[in-house]
Amino acid sequence: MRLVTFKSQSGEPHVGVVRGQEIIDLTLWLPHQEPVLLADFDMVDLIAAIPEVWSQVSAALEANEIALKGADALVPMDESRLLAPIYRPRKNVFCLGRNYAEHAAESSRAFGEAAATLAPPQVPQYPAIFTKATTTINAPYGEIPYDPQVTEQLDWEAELAIVIGKAGKNIKREDAMSHIFGYMVLNDVSARDIQKRHGAQFFKGKSLDGTCPIGPWIVTAGEIEDPDNLELWTRVNGVEKQHDNTSSMLIDVRGIIEALSLGMTLEPGDIIATGTPAGVGFARTPPEYLQPGDVVECEVEKIGVIRNGVAEA
């Protein structure tokens, strides 16, 4: 199942489920189902209510076309109307740093760290964790703002994103998968000059407005047999920059959830970015950064592609 948030004819964000080349507008459909379990909801509300409304959402995919059209709940798929699936997160986006060995090594070299001369990174006992502000969220095909007075070193980072479905704290590794609602593609766009300026504190350089495109939809967990074996890519202006498999992650999906939930409750709708592979711009020779007019595509196998142009603010 692919769940989206899109701009309705009235201009308001609506939640939908993709069926073929159309979207079933759940915002209009669900309030008319018996019993009425959801009304005036966004994607996070839907995720939190899934145990109760899953059958209604599933039934929408089988609904009669005449009934759907009668409720104005059948909408043609249009990329330009897609918003971030979770366009208003309740919390910052959780992010893992240096979760691929080759990326950890290239980052150390680029930052001139002593560790760059040592053996390749091993699986860490504890992951490096930072967050991106909620205002970074951007649509899957939205424009990434470029303001040279703020940064001239915007960089790309394709990542698999986890969406939490069931709340939990101190989640054991063996129970982690039951807490996942689904997956998205995420681009952790980073301002490298700001990141360097603030030393080891990544937050500011990762939190400029519009620097977290996500989507294009949430693919529900049951559709992905093994999230630890997915190909992912970044292309800039059609040229491949990153290509790896999530099997290369130093800490896998179960380990990420176990580590993050230690002493901290994960809640429905929480977004977790699992890290990026090697091939980022600032670690290249010479360094490469996004410029106005560039188009950056991030793709994760079995999930989809997000495509974002860079536009000067």
Side-chain angles (χ1 to χ4, degrees):
M1 190 178 296
R2 293 175 293 165
L3 292 163
V4 296
T5 298
F6 66 99
K7 187 180 293 184
S8 67
Q9 291 289 353
S10 65
E12 296 297 315
H14 281 199
V15 176
V17 60
V18 177
R19 185 171 78 175
Q21 296 303 308
E22 296 176 306
I23 298 170
I24 298 172
D25 189 333
L26 297 175
T27 298
L28 296 180
W29 182 254
L30 290 183
H32 297 289
Q33 306 310 300
E34 294 294 341
V36 177
L37 299 173
L38 270 185
D40 189 24
F41 60 94
D42 65 7
M43 185 68 78
V44 176
D45 296 322
L46 177 68
I47 293 170
I50 276 296
E52 290 76 33
V53 302
W54 181 257
S55 61
Q56 290 185 343
V57 175
S58 299
L61 289 170
E62 306 299 328
N64 183 287
E65 186 168 332
I66 294 174
L68 289 167
K69 287 183 176 179
D72 290 325
L74 203 56
V75 181
M77 172 62 74
D78 182 351
E79 288 185 356
S80 67
R81 292 174 62 180
L82 290 185
L83 304 173
I86 300 176
Y87 77 95
R88 189 182 297 162
R90 306 294 197 263
K91 300 178 186 173
N92 285 3
V93 178
F94 299 113
C95 303
L96 263 73
R98 303 188 179 189
N99 198 31
Y100 288 73
E102 291 185 8
H103 174 59
E106 72 175 359
S107 296
S108 293
R109 289 192 298 268
F111 280 120
E113 297 171 3
T117 64
L118 303 178
Q122 302 300 308
V123 177
Q125 183 177 3
Y126 304 105
I129 300 169
F130 60 92
T131 69
K132 293 174 76 78
T134 59
T135 48
T136 61
I137 294 296
N138 201 341
Y141 308 109
E143 292 184 336
I144 298 169
Y146 180 92
D147 185 346
Q149 295 185 8
V150 176
T151 179
E152 294 183 328
Q153 294 186 3
L154 283 180
D155 202 351
W156 56 82
E157 291 193 11
E159 308 198 16
L160 169 70
I162 300 165
V163 179
I164 294 297
K166 183 174 71 174
K169 178 180 177 180
N170 300 327
I171 299 168
K172 299 300 183 185
R173 178 182 175 83
E174 57 268 25
D175 300 324
M177 303 305 286
S178 68
H179 289 264
I180 297 175
F181 175 74
Y183 305 94
M184 303 183 293
V185 185
L186 181 149
N187 187 356
D188 176 19
V189 180
S190 306
R192 300 301 187 188
D193 43 1
I194 296 176
Q195 187 177 341
K196 293 174 184 176
R197 186 187 308 159
H198 289 268
Q201 175 53 262
F202 287 4
F203 176 73
K204 180 63 177 178
K206 299 281 191 172
S207 288
L208 301 184
D209 290 354
T211 57
C212 191
I214 57 174
W217 33 65
I218 300 173
V219 176
T220 49
E223 303 291 323
I224 304 299
E225 183 178 355
D226 184 4
D228 292 310
N229 186 23
L230 297 173
E231 298 287 307
L232 69 168
W233 299 264
T234 297
R235 294 177 290 271
V236 178
N237 301 326
V239 178
E240 185 177 289
K241 301 296 184 180
Q242 291 180 289
H243 182 197
D244 207 330
N245 189 288
T246 55
S247 62
S248 298
M249 291 192 298
L250 295 172
I251 299 177
D252 63 10
V253 167
R254 291 171 178 83
I256 290 169
I257 291 174
E258 183 179 48
L260 269 176
S261 69
L262 181 64
M264 182 178 72
T265 302
L266 297 179
E267 298 178 304
D270 284 352
I271 302 169
I272 304 170
T274 59
T276 199
V280 295
F282 87 107
R284 291 175 171 269
T285 305
E288 300 175 17
Y289 299 107
L290 296 171
Q291 302 296 321
D294 285 346
V295 176
V296 56
E297 293 180 312
C298 295
E299 179 177 1
V300 179
E301 179 188 5
K302 299 180 181 179
I303 297 175
V305 181
I306 60 176
R307 184 182 311 106
N308 303 92
V310 180
E312 190 155 359

